[in-house]
Amino acid sequence: MTGVREDRPQAYDVVVVGGGNAGISLAAFLRSQDARRTIAVVAPEDTHVYRPLLSYVGAGMAHPDRPTRPQSSLIPRGCDWIRDAVTRVVPRASGTSGTTGAATPADAASDPRARVDADPDHHTVVTAGGEVIGAVDLVLCPGTVVDWDAIPGSREACRSAYGSTNYTAELAPHTWAVLRDLRRGRALFLVSNRNTPCPGVGLKPLFLAADHWRRTGCLDDIDITLVLEDAQPFGLDRADDRLRDELRRLGVRLHTSARIESIDPDDRLARIAVAGGGHLDLPYDAMHLAPPHRGHAWLVESGLTDPDTTLVANDPSTLEHRDHPGLWALGDAATLETPSSGGGLRPQVPVLSHNILARRSGATFLHYDGYTVAPIPLDRRRLMLAERLRDGHEYRTFSAFSLARPLRALMFFDLVVQPPVYWHRLLRGKGLDPHEDTEPAGRSL
Ligand SMILES: Cc1cc2nc3c(=O)[nH]c(=O)nc-3n(C[C@H](O)[C@H](O)[C@H](O)COP(=O)(O)OP(=O)(O)OC[C@H]3O[C@@H](n4cnc5c(N)ncnc54)[C@H](O)[C@@H]3O)c2cc1C
C-alpha cells in the first residue's frame, strides 16, 4: 500500500469509501466547507475513470485513454488516501456499553474474518490490507458492480466478436469494433433497469451507431431491435416522445417492459420475457448490453443493504442509513428511488454534506429531491439532456426552456465542455448544485 501518510490517525471525522465521482467530489466539497475536518478516502484503484466518456469511446468518438486520469492527481488536498479496498463495515455500537477485544490491524490482515467489535464512538471499516479505520461519519460510495450472473451468458456474449458493453472501461473500445464492423444483419440493443447506472445512456450506442451506419450507407441493410426493461426510455414524457419518434424514423423494433433472461453467445440469441407473458428469442449479428448491476457483496455481508436491491439501505432523501445514524450513502451504491447518474450527484453532495453537520448540531436536515439526468444523442451532432425529479416531473436547469430537445450545443457540451468541468470543478467540490441559481439545494424536511 502506498500513498498513505505514516502519521495517519486511526480515526477520522469523515471516512469516504470509494474514489469515484461521488467519493472524490464529496471529499473535496467537505474539505472546502471546513479545512479542519480530518477526512480519509479509501479507494483501491490507481486510475479514475470518467464514465460518461465511455459511451463516446464505444462510438469511436473518443480515444480509449481520454476517460482516465491517475487517482493520485485527484485526491483532494488535505485528505488522506488509503489505497486499499474495504472488505467490511462495522457500524457504531448503539447503546452505551463499550466493547473490548477489537481486532488490531495485524489481526485483520492475517485473518480477514477476524472479529472487529463495534466501537461506541466510531463506525469502523476494515480493508483487504488489514487496516481498521474509525469514522465519526462514514460515507459509502463504492458504486455497484456489473451483475453478469443475473443474465446467464451475458459475460461471454459481451466478450465475443459479436457483442459488447460500454459499462466497463475494458470493453468500451470493443463496442466500437463490434458496431463499426457491422455492414448488414441484425443489431440488438438491450437495456436493463436493474440498478443500471444512468439507464438513459444505454440508448447512446444505438443512436450513435445508427448514425454511423447511415453515413456509411449501411443503415437500410441493418435491422435494429431495442429491448428496454423499463416501460419508457427515460421516464419523462417530453424526452420519451421525442425518442420514440426517432426510433420509429430509424425503423427500430421496440420491446418495452421486457425482461432480459439469457444470452447464448454461440447461437447469438438473446432470450427475453415480453410484457404480457411469453418469451422471444432475438437473433443478433451485433449486440450491446447495458447490464444489470448489484451492490458489493461486502456491503451485503456487513448487513447494510436492502435485501431486494442490494443497495445501501439509506433514506433516499436524507441519504442517512435507516438504522445507523452517521452512516451515509451516495451515488450508485445508494438507495435513491430515482435512476442514479453522475448529474444526480450535483445536488446529492451538498445535501449530504449539510446533513453530516446537521446530525452533529441538531439542525434541520435537507433532502435530495431525486434529480437525475440522461444525456441522449439522437445522432453524432445533436443531443438532448433529459432532466427529471424523483416524482417524474421535469426539472429545468434553465427555467425558461427545456433541454430535453436535440441541440448541437448540447452535444458539444457533453463531449467537449463537460469532461474538463468534471476534472477541474466537480471533482474539486465546485459547481455541485444544479439548483443553486434557482432554489435551495434541498428542501427542509
Ligand atoms: C457507460 C456509462 C456512461 C455513463 N454516462 C453518464 C452520463 O453521461 N451522465 C451522467 O450523469 N452519468 C453517467 N453515467 C453514470 C455515472 O458514471 C455514475 O452514476 C457515477 O459514476 C456514479 O459515481 P459513484 O462514485 O457512485 O460510482 P463509481 O463511479 O462506480 O465509483 C465507485 C468507486 O468506488 C471504488 N470502490 C469499489 N469497491 C471498493 C471498495 N471495496 N473499497 C473502496 N472503494 C471501492 C471504485 O474503484 C470506484 O473508484 C454513466 C455510467 C456508465 C457506466
Side-chain angles (χ1 to χ4, degrees), residues 17-23 42-45 51-52 54-55 84-86 141-143 166-167 197-198 201 204 296 298 330-332 340-343 345 373 375:
V17 176
N21 187 344
V42 190
E45 309 284 352
R51 302 169 85 197
L54 298 178
S55 301
D84 206 346
V86 170
C141 37
N166 286 339
Y167 283 70
C198 206
V201 303
K204 269 185 171 174
H296 290 272
W298 52 269
L330 190 65
D332 289 359
S340 71
S341 65
L345 285 164
V373 59

Side-chain angles (χ1 to χ4, degrees), residues 266-398:
D266 299 325
D267 289 343
R268 284 187 264 141
L269 282 177
R271 167 159 276 230
I272 63 165
V274 288
H279 291 87
L280 276 180
D281 287 322
L282 302 173
Y284 66 84
D285 300 297
M287 181 276 297
H288 179 272
L289 172 66
H293 285 59
R294 59 175 169 74
H296 290 272
W298 52 269
L299 277 174
V300 176
E301 286 155 15
S302 298
L304 297 174
T305 52
D306 178 311
D308 294 332
T309 62
T310 68
L311 301 176
V312 178
N314 59 282
D315 181 305
S317 292
T318 66
L319 306 174
E320 189 173 43
H321 197 280
R322 289 186 185 280
D323 301 325
H324 303 292
L327 205 156
W328 313 85
L330 190 65
D332 289 359
T335 296
L336 302 173
E337 293 182 357
T338 192
S340 71
S341 65
L345 285 164
R346 283 157 54 213
Q348 284 171 45
V349 167
V351 165
L352 177 42
S353 168
H354 170 94
N355 288 352
I356 286 178
L357 281 181
R359 160 64 56 211
R360 296 181 187 195
S361 67
T364 310
F365 274 18
L366 295 181
H367 82 171
Y368 164 55
D369 55 14
Y371 171 85
T372 192
V373 59
I376 308 174
L378 297 203
D379 53 43
R380 290 174 170 242
R381 295 175 318 280
R382 297 170 309 147
L383 179 137
M384 66 161 84
L385 265 188
E387 301 177 284
R388 72 168 168 90
L389 303 176
R390 186 181 291 118
D391 64 11
H393 286 100
E394 182 173 24
Y395 179 85
R396 292 190 175 185
T397 291
F398 302 108

